[in-house]
Amino acid sequence: ATAGASPALDATLAAAMKDAVRRPGAGAITFLLSDGETLYAHRHGRTLHVLEQRIERAEPPAAPRFADILQRLRRPGGGAP
């Protein structure tokens, strides 16, 4: 089966949300729903907050050299710095 949006899925979700918000005492109904290709967002009641973060990654630390590892292991205490 092919993933993604379809008129049938759109209609099903729309009908479900209309039914849900009509119910007495439903409160806030908020969601993000995705299958990896399509994103559905719904907000009823409270605010839908979205947080976008960009993480700057530094270069990974260089792997220790074999000679450095041997030197640490030869220290008294078994290599504790």
Side-chain angles (χ1 to χ4, degrees):
T2 302
S6 71
L9 179 57
D10 293 348
T12 301
L13 285 172
M17 289 301 92
K18 284 179 186 177
D19 182 50
V21 299
R22 284 188 198 137
R23 294 174 186 250
I29 302 172
T30 304
F31 68 84
L32 294 174
L33 177 68
S34 177
D35 66 359
E37 291 182 19
T38 305
L39 174 67
Y40 289 93
H42 178 81
R43 182 191 68 82
H44 175 80
R46 296 185 179 157
T47 304
L48 173 61
H49 296 279
V50 178
L51 174 64
E52 180 180 348
Q53 291 183 319
R54 296 181 188 269
I55 300 172
E56 299 293 329
R57 300 198 183 269
E59 290 294 319
R65 297 181 317 151
F66 185 69
D68 295 336
I69 294 171
L70 285 177
Q71 185 178 22
R72 288 182 192 163
L73 291 174
R74 291 182 181 140
R75 289 184 188 157

